[in-house]
């Protein structure tokens, strides 16, 4: 009996513990009445069909009643309201829900040598964003999986409407959603609508843009601090590549060279990530102050300036071929980095030093004097690593420094001299890559700095002259346009493969990532081969790279592979191929690419068929998103490229006369319908987000399967590779409500400090949406923000990341994104029949006496040349246009954005009075123009 009672006692205690735990975990019931009203701002009578539904598990909606209703209105499970013209109708709904019990999600984290606080950009955004932005992001309910939501459905199929997070309504007391003309408050503690509006003192970013003058580069250079502070290495994501400081300019002697040079802010030089020749070259002028660094005339010639007690040092550097370029196009180009140090200024002693070391273990270097110059050679082989010529009057001291880690030898040369008032002193450094054999020392000895400088400038100028010409009255823009091309041309590595066949590697950047093949084909094919080469007329270059990617990345089933197998790789390849054919109409090259292209297209079509079977409800493609987001989900980025890739490739096939064009276009059209429907439904089910003016609007998720922000994933999943690409690529209506909602959310909440750029400026996804919506001021703002955040301010090095992530210099995909935006601001195929010129020209570019020039620019309607010249003081702006005879557009539109916003009074076309112009839109329109020249004069 004693044992029995003991067992009973134990059982009761255990049972109480278990049942107590169950009772503790049982959700707590909550209740409130919510008032929902429509018709506050509508100027016309509108019929609203309203269903109020539970938006989360465990919620109950009951007793929907109406107030201020008319006879033709009804309230209930399905309410029918007729509102507008001061008629406001209200619904009161009783809502019960359980308190959330699910474990809260954690903010995404990532740890490497560059990240701050190991976060994945979200933490940095919330700490360093504008005050209102940070508060709104902290207020978001993303981290509570079972956060109670109420859905207000405004269409039977669930594609219109919105949801609200109950917790946010309770905290804020009221929510005004102007896009839905809907006001929500608590029935038992109502906040008066006008009283609520009076508390909304903020402004949406885009409202500020539309009420302000055009943005400027100066404005955004002040907002985006120049990257790579040379005086204080103060942020962890600036580079430390091989001991450099903050920032790099990467250059090479010629296109495709495997020997490249990276120069930091102090003129120190390193090889690129995969160079066969590894070295470190550092310069030192003790106690001097760094003053500036810039490229010259948009070419890969770099000038760095220092100052010390009235003395000045100017260093000029560039890479040049040491010998003639190889005839076979290979990248084995013996190269030399030339650096001329010129000392001038206050008379007195000068002491300058340099150090060179081999990076690989076991390299022993020593200094040898050879006549009037010094060579640093490798012990044993006597191969020359460095050659230095000095002005007379310099004495040279040498020293050897031993690296304790690998016992390698660093050679140090110190130059001592006396500066006088009449003559500058110079030191000329020649850094060969690869090293030069002792028997070929005359190659280095005979290098003439000025002759090499001219040949280098001529080489890159010749490359520029092979393509389109763009010139505007803003020198910084012209310099970046020129720099774009060599940024792209120095990226590839032309090498011999194991069979001796010429092979092209296309790394993402030259100082990071894998260097073989093309690990990120979408960035190369779309952002370089289309956006840069295709749009500038370097078609042969684009086709060669696309072919190289087919050769290295196409899988047996047709899929385009790459790092992390992004779902966009295959349709992105089709998109680039189609875009370039529409621009060039090069039938011969298109025919060469067709067999592999159709194989990739078949793989894409097969994914659509599989999606219809597996995901019958949505029909959307599932696959990995990007590097760190590998789950097979219905990512917006993927859907956007499947729609655009098949659509654009189908358009190209149609122009080509290929029988499979209709198949591609039909598949794209059906997917576009499915995409818009799926993301509309997902947005309706997602909790609305607050904007900078205190109002609320729809949130559009990046994954159609998850109705919230994905702050448990790194920032690019929601933003850089996020849903705005749907609008950029026309997979949804760029003018529709989904796009409007995304633009406001991104500008107000997701772009750091509301400065108009994602962490990876390359994507600039909002800018194309603005052009498609014909909102030039917003597009101009995105243009200057990208220019200031995506490139270092004077050297114009393209960047990969802008904040809170490891920085890598030199990805030309950033150049491609910038140029596509720049080009489309000046020349834009707004649809399949219309060519628009000057769509988003900054007004300052058309101040009196200024001129815009475009020559031989490829378009879908043939090459176009035009100029716009302003005689604003005399009351005219004149455009000269030359259209191709290939296939002139059905509609030619040219916009004249007068510098003082004056309205057009009259127009002449080729001397004849022209009536087809729109004063409000500032454009002149021509229907069915023919090939040839047009002179259009707008008079004010």
């Amino acid at each position: 009996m004693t044992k029995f009672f003991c067992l009973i006692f134990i059982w009761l205690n255990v049972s109480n513990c278990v049942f107590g735990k169950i009772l503790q975990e049982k959700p707590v019931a909550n209740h409130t009445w919510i008032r929902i009203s429509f018709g506050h701002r509508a100027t016309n009578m509108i019929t609203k069909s309203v269903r109020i539904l539970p938006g989360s598990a465990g919620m109950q909606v009951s007793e929907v009643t109406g107030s201020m209703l008319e006879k033709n209105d009804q309230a209930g499970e399905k309410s029918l309201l007729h509102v507008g013209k001061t008629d406001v109708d209200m619904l009161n709904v009783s809502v019960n829900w359980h308190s959330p019990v699910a474990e809260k999600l954690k903010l995404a984290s990532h740890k490497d040598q560059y990240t701050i606080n190991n976060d994945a950009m979200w933490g940095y955004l919330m700490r360093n964003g504008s005050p209102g932005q940070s508060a709104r992001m902290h207020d978001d309910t993303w981290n509570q999986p079972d956060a109670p939501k109420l859905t207000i459905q405004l269409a039977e199929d669930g594609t219109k409407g919105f949801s609200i997070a109950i917790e946010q309504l309770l905290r804020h007391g009221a929510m005004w959603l102007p896009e839905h003309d809907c006001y929500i408050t608590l029935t038992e503690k109502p906040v008066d609508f006008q009283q609520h509006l009076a508390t909304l003192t903020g402004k949406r970013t885009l409202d500020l843009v539309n009420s302000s003058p055009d943005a400027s580069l100066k404005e955004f250079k002040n907002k985006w601090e120049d990257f790579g502070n040379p005086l204080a290495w103060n942020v962890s994501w600036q580079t430390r590549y091989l001991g450099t400081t903050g920032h790099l300019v990467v250059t090479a002697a010629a296109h495709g060279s495997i020997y490249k040079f990276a120069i930091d802010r102090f003129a120190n030089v390193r090889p690129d990530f995969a160079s066969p020749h590894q070295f470190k070259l550092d310069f030192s002028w003790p106690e001097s102050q760094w003053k500036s660094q810039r490229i010259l005339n948009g070419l890969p010639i770099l000038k760095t300036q220092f100052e010390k007690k009235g003395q000045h040092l100017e260093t000029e550097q560039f890479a040049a071929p040491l010998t003639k370029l190889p005839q076979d196009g290979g990248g084995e180009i013996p190269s030399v980095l030339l650096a001329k140090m010129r000392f001038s200024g206050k008379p007195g002693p000068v002491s300058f030093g340099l150090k060179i070391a081999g990076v690989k273990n076991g390299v022993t270097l020593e200094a040898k004097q050879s006549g009037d110059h010094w060579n640093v050679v490798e012990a044993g082989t006597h191969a020359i690593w460095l050659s230095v010529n000095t002005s007379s009057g310099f004495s040279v001291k040498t020293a050897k420094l031993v690296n304790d880690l690998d016992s390698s030898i660093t050679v140090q040369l110190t130059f001592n001299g006396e500066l006088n008032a009449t003559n500058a002193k110079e030191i000329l450094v020649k850094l060969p890559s690869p090293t030069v054999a002792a028997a070929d020392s005359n190659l280095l000895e005979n290098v003439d700095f000025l002759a090499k400088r001219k040949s280098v400038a001529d080489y890159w100028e010749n490359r520029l002259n092979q393509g389109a010409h763009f010139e505007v009255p803003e020198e910084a823009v012209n310099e970046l346009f020129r720099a774009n091309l060599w940024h792209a041309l120095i990226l590839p590595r032309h090498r011999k493969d194991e069979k001796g066949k010429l092979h092209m590697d296309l790394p993402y950047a030259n100082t990071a990532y894998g260097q073989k093949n093309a690990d990120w084909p979408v960035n190369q094919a779309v952002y370089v081969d289309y956006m840069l080469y295709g749009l500038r007329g370097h078609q042969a270059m684009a086709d060669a790279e696309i072919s190289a990617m087919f050769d290295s990345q196409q899988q047996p089933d047709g899929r385009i592979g790459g790092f992390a197998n992004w779902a966009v790789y295959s349709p992105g390849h089709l998109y680039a191929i189609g875009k370039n054919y529409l621009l060039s109409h090069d039938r011969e090259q298109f025919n060469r690419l067709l067999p592999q292209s159709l194989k990739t297209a078949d793989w894409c079509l097969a994914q659509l068929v599989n999606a219809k079977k597996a995901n019958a409800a949505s029909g959307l493609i599932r696959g990995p998103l990007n590097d760190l987001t590998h789950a097979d989900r219905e990512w917006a980025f993927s859907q956007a490229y499947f729609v655009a890739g098949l659509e654009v490739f189908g358009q190209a096939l149609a122009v080509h006369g290929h029988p499979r064009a209709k198949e591609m276009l039909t598949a794209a059209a059906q997917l576009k319908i499915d995409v818009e429907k799926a993301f509309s439904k997902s947005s309706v089910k997602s909790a609305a987000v607050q904007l900078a003016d205190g109002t609320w609007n729809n949130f559009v998720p990046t994954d159609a399967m998850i109705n919230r922000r994905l702050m448990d994933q790194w920032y690019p999943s929601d933003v850089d590779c996020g849903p705005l690409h749907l609008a950029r690529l026309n997979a949804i209506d760029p003018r529709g409500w989904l796009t409007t909602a995304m633009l406001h959310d991104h500008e107000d909440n997701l772009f750091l400090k509301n400065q108009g750029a994602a962490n990876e400026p390359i994507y600039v996804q909002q800018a194309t949406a603005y052009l498609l919506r014909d909102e030039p001021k917003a597009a101009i703002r995105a243009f200057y923000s990208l220019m200031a955040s995506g490139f270092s301010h004077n050297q114009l090095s393209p960047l990969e990341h802008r904040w809170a992530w490891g920085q890598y210099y030199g990805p030309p995909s950033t150049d491609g994104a910038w140029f596509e935006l720049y080009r489309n601001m000046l020349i834009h195929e707004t649809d399949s029949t219309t060519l628009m010129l000057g769509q988003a020209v900054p007004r300052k570019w058309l101040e009196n006496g200024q001129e815009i020039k475009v020559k031989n620019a490829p378009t879908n309607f043939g090459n176009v040349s035009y100029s716009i010249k302003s005689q604003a003081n005399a009351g005219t702006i004149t455009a000269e246009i030359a259209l191709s005879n290939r296939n002139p557009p059905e509609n030619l539109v040219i916009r004249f954005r007068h510098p003082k916003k004056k309205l057009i009074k009259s127009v002449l076309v080729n001397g004849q009075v022209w009536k087809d112009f729109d004063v409000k839109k500032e454009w002149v329109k021509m229907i069915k123009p023919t090939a040839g020249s047009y002179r259009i004069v707008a008079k004010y």
Side-chain angles (χ1 to χ4, degrees):
M1 288 297 291
T2 303
K3 290 181 180 179
F4 172 78
F5 283 113
C6 286
L7 289 170
I8 291 294
F9 178 79
I10 293 170
W11 181 84
L12 288 172
N13 277 280
V14 170
S15 298
N16 284 335
C17 291
V18 172
F19 293 141
K21 186 176 181 181
I22 291 172
L23 289 172
Q24 285 179 342
E25 291 183 351
K26 185 178 180 180
V28 178
N30 299 277
H31 173 265
T32 193
W33 280 86
I34 295 175
R35 177 178 295 172
I36 304 168
S37 55
F38 294 92
H40 296 268
R41 292 284 179 82
T43 56
N44 299 313
M45 291 300 295
I46 299 172
T47 300
K48 295 272 189 181
S49 177
V50 184
R51 293 188 69 190
I52 304 173
L53 303 168
S56 54
M59 176 174 283
Q60 293 179 339
V61 174
S62 59
E63 300 183 65
V64 179
T65 62
S67 59
M68 301 175 64
L69 304 187
E70 289 72 39
K71 290 182 179 179
N72 60 345
D73 297 324
Q74 63 184 48
E77 182 181 347
K78 179 180 177 181
S79 300
L80 194 66
L81 309 177
H82 301 83
V83 298
K85 288 188 174 181
T86 71
D87 178 14
V88 176
D89 291 345
M90 295 183 181
L91 298 173
N92 292 285
V93 57
S94 173
V95 179
N96 293 278
W97 71 95
H98 296 301
S99 297
V101 295
E103 183 178 354
K104 288 194 173 185
L105 300 171
K106 294 181 180 179
L107 199 68
S109 64
H110 181 82
K111 185 175 183 179
D112 65 20
Q113 61 178 324
Y114 292 109
T115 53
I116 287 185
N117 294 334
N118 298 336
D119 73 38
M121 307 178 203
W122 288 113
Y124 186 89
L125 174 68
M126 290 191 286
R127 289 189 304 274
N128 296 279
S130 57
Q133 180 182 47
S134 297
R136 290 189 298 276
M137 295 303 288
H138 279 288
D139 185 55
D140 197 284
T141 58
W142 69 271
N143 61 340
Q144 187 64 61
D146 56 347
K149 290 184 295 185
L150 183 69
T151 297
I152 293 83
Q153 189 173 287
L154 302 176
E156 282 293 322
D157 63 356
T159 59
K160 292 182 181 179
F162 59 93
S163 296
I164 60 168
I166 298 296
E167 293 176 11
Q168 289 181 310
L169 176 61
L170 294 175
R171 281 197 295 271
H172 292 271
M175 293 178 168
W176 165 230
L177 295 91
E179 277 76 8
H180 294 281
D181 197 11
C182 180
Y183 180 61
I184 302 176
T185 187
L186 300 171
T187 304
E188 295 169 352
K189 296 181 180 179
V191 178
D192 177 74
F193 177 64
Q194 295 300 331
Q195 180 184 340
H196 178 69
L197 291 187
T199 67
L200 306 182
T201 57
K203 293 265 189 186
R204 295 186 184 184
T205 302
L206 288 176
D207 290 340
L208 291 172
V209 170
N210 290 327
S211 62
S212 303
D214 284 352
S216 69
L217 181 58
K218 181 180 179 181
E219 170 192 351
F220 276 94
K221 279 189 174 181
N222 288 334
K223 289 181 177 180
W224 292 110
E225 180 186 1
D226 196 8
F227 217 109
N229 188 332
L231 305 178
W233 193 92
N234 58 6
V235 286
S236 70
W237 59 85
Q238 295 188 78
T239 192
R240 288 180 284 191
Y241 176 69
L242 291 177
T244 53
T245 304
H247 170 271
L248 296 172
V249 175
V250 185
T251 186
H255 171 234
S257 174
I258 64 172
Y259 300 102
K260 308 177 198 296
F261 304 90
I263 305 169
D264 78 356
R265 284 280 174 91
F266 288 92
N268 303 316
V269 188
R270 300 292 187 268
D272 81 311
F273 198 64
S275 174
H277 176 51
Q278 296 285 304
F279 58 84
K280 291 183 180 181
L281 176 63
D282 294 318
F283 300 104
S284 174
W285 193 24
E287 300 178 14
S288 65
Q289 290 292 312
W290 183 94
K291 302 300 291 183
S292 67
Q293 188 182 67
R294 62 188 178 93
I295 60 170
L296 303 183
N297 196 25
L299 297 177
I301 300 173
L302 193 65
K303 185 172 285 189
T304 310
Q305 295 183 322
F306 302 84
E307 187 271 336
K308 176 182 176 181
K309 298 177 181 179
Q311 293 181 339
H312 304 278
L313 167 59
E314 181 178 87
T315 300
E316 189 169 326
Q317 295 167 290
F318 56 87
L322 188 58
T323 58
K324 290 184 178 180
L325 297 179
Q327 294 298 311
D328 63 358
E332 294 285 346
I333 301 169
S335 305
V336 59
L337 188 286
L338 296 174
K340 178 182 280 188
M341 284 74 176
R342 188 174 188 274
F343 296 87
S344 62
K346 184 178 179 180
V350 173
S351 181
F352 179 80
L354 64 81
K355 296 188 297 185
I356 184 166
V359 173
K360 295 180 180 178
N361 293 349
V363 173
T364 300
L365 303 179
E366 54 190 13
K368 298 286 186 182
Q369 187 170 9
S370 177
D372 61 352
H373 65 273
W374 285 80
N375 287 337
V376 177
V377 302
E378 189 169 344
T381 67
H382 302 291
I384 301 172
W385 283 63
L386 191 73
S387 181
V388 186
N389 294 72
T390 66
S391 302
S392 59
F394 270 117
S395 63
V396 180
K397 291 184 178 180
T398 69
K400 289 184 178 181
L401 309 174
V402 180
N403 188 325
D404 293 334
L405 294 177
D406 60 13
S407 300
S408 61
I409 302 295
T410 296
V411 171
Q412 178 174 294
L413 302 179
T414 303
F415 303 87
N416 297 301
E418 194 77 17
L419 193 62
N420 58 48
T422 56
N423 295 312
K425 286 190 175 294
E426 292 182 348
I427 298 173
L428 177 59
V429 175
K430 304 171 185 178
L431 174 67
S433 185
T435 59
V436 173
D440 296 325
S441 61
N442 62 308
L443 289 176
L444 277 178
E445 293 173 11
N446 294 333
V447 167
D448 180 89
F449 182 85
L450 292 178
K452 284 293 186 185
R453 190 184 191 281
K454 182 179 184 306
S455 69
V456 165
D458 289 346
Y459 175 84
W460 296 112
E461 286 286 356
N462 180 57
R463 291 285 191 168
L464 283 162
N465 292 336
Q466 292 171 17
H469 177 76
F470 283 67
E471 185 178 345
V472 298
E474 186 165 7
E475 196 51 42
V477 174
N478 295 333
E479 280 219 341
L480 184 51
F481 166 78
R482 291 164 62 79
N484 285 157
L485 189 62
W486 63 265
H487 288 165
L489 288 171
I490 66 167
L491 178 79
R493 315 180 71 83
H494 294 174
R495 61 178 174 87
K496 300 287 179 61
D497 64 15
E498 295 77 9
K499 298 180 180 179
K501 183 181 176 182
L502 194 63
H503 180 87
M504 187 189 301
D505 292 322
L506 294 163
Y508 184 71
N510 279 316
T511 57
Y513 297 113
Q515 298 291 300
K516 288 188 176 181
N517 300 322
D519 280 344
W520 279 267
V522 69
N523 296 89
Q524 191 69 27
V526 173
Y527 285 87
V528 178
D529 296 320
Y530 156 58
M531 290 184 178
L532 203 153
Y533 291 147
L535 288 174
R536 291 174 67 143
H538 300 273
Q539 191 62 50
M541 198 73 63
D543 291 337
E545 293 193 356
I546 287 170
S547 293
M549 282 182 275
F550 266 135
D551 292 344
S552 68
Q553 300 294 6
Q554 189 170 43
Q555 309 303 303
D557 60 359
R559 178 178 62 87
I560 302 299
F563 187 83
N565 285 315
W566 294 21
V568 299
Y569 288 159
S570 297
H573 222 56
L574 296 179
Y575 178 81
I577 292 166
K579 280 286 190 181
N580 279 356
Y581 181 63
L582 293 174
L583 290 168
S584 72
H585 279 209
D586 186 336
R587 293 184 65 86
E588 182 179 346
Q589 180 59 26
F590 192 61
N591 281 330
R592 282 196 292 269
L593 294 175
L594 259 181
Q596 290 167 298
S597 302
L598 289 171
K599 193 174 181 181
T600 297
D602 284 334
W603 182 86
C604 291
L605 292 172
Q607 304 316 299
L608 293 182
V609 172
N610 293 338
K612 281 292 186 183
K613 293 177 181 177
N615 316 319
S618 68
L620 302 194
I621 306 294
R622 295 184 185 178
L625 177 60
N626 54 36
D627 305 6
L628 300 184
T629 307
H630 303 143
D632 288 342
R633 308 288 295 183
E634 295 175 358
W635 304 109
F637 192 48
S638 307
Q639 318 311 318
Y641 266 104
F642 269 92
V643 169
L646 290 169
E647 183 174 63
V648 171
F649 186 62
Q651 291 168 353
L653 289 176
V655 169
H656 196 63
H658 197 281
R660 296 194 64 188
K662 185 177 179 180
E663 178 186 5
M664 305 295 167
L665 294 171
T666 300
Q670 181 56 56
L671 181 58
K672 183 181 289 189
I673 293 170
D674 292 340
V675 166
E676 185 129 16
K677 185 176 182 180
F679 279 90
S680 295
K681 286 184 173 182
S682 189
S683 178
V684 170
K685 293 176 182 177
S686 300
V689 292
Q690 192 176 32
L691 302 176
D693 62 350
T695 66
W696 300 75
N697 196 12
N698 284 74
F699 169 70
V700 181
T702 192
D703 173 13
M705 301 167 68
I706 303 180
N707 310 318
R708 60 172 175 83
R709 295 199 195 279
L710 295 186
M711 294 170 69
D712 50 328
Q713 301 283 335
W714 66 326
Y715 175 93
S717 298
D718 251 25
V719 187
D720 304 26
C721 302
L724 252 179
H725 289 275
L726 293 169
R728 178 179 77 82
L729 292 169
N730 259 311
I732 62 171
D733 181 2
R735 297 175 182 266
W737 68 267
L738 282 170
T739 302
T740 300
M742 285 188 282
L743 289 170
H744 283 302
D745 185 29
H746 280 63
E747 296 284 7
D748 284 7
N749 296 322
L750 300 176
F751 292 159
L752 181 67
K753 296 182 180 178
N754 317 116
Q755 291 174 186
N759 187 44
E760 294 175 87
I762 167 184
Y763 289 113
V764 68
Q765 55 270 51
Q766 78 279 18
T768 297
Y770 292 137
L771 289 174
L772 293 170
R773 294 160 69 93
D774 197 24
E775 297 174 3
K777 292 180 74 171
I780 291 167
R781 179 179 184 269
F783 172 73
Y784 283 125
S785 184
L786 168 58
M787 194 169 172
S789 67
F791 301 86
S792 51
H793 291 181
N794 295 297
Q795 305 85 347
L796 304 183
S797 291
L799 314 176
E800 181 183 7
H801 296 117
R802 181 61 222 194
W803 40 268
W805 201 259
Q807 180 50 261
Y808 305 109
Y809 291 89
S813 45
T814 305
D815 292 272
W818 179 85
F819 178 72
E820 187 207 32
L821 174 54
Y822 174 42
R823 181 264 193 191
N824 287 346
M825 288 164 63
L826 298 180
I827 302 178
H828 189 203
E829 301 91 337
T830 56
D831 57 39
S832 61
T833 64
T834 304
L835 180 65
M836 191 168 188
L837 306 180
Q839 181 181 10
V841 168
R843 293 190 187 276
K844 65 181 178 182
W845 289 1
L846 289 177
E847 290 175 346
N848 187 63
Q850 305 288 18
E851 186 173 10
I852 296 168
K853 300 177 185 177
V854 177
K855 185 178 180 181
N856 290 330
T859 78
N860 293 357
F861 308 104
N863 282 15
V864 171
S865 298
Y866 82 95
S867 66
I868 307 178
K869 189 169 185 178
S870 173
Q871 304 90 18
N873 290 355
T876 63
I877 300 178
T878 303
E880 303 270 1
I881 305 169
L883 293 181
S884 166
N885 61 3
R886 193 179 82 192
N887 56 323
E890 292 183 22
N891 305 295
L892 176 65
V893 178
I894 181 163
R895 173 168 279 150
F896 297 89
R897 297 189 80 235
H898 192 281
K900 295 182 180 178
K901 301 184 182 179
K902 289 187 176 181
L903 304 180
I904 298 173
K905 296 295 185 183
S906 62
V907 174
L908 296 176
V909 175
N910 289 347
Q912 302 297 311
V913 174
W914 195 262
K915 296 296 185 182
D916 195 355
F917 64 92
D918 189 308
V919 172
K920 185 177 180 180
K921 294 180 179 178
E922 300 184 279
W923 71 34
V924 177
K925 188 174 184 179
M926 300 176 66
I927 307 296
K928 295 189 181 302
T930 57
S933 300
Y934 294 89
R935 177 182 171 87
I936 303 175
V937 181
K939 296 189 175 184
Y940 298 85

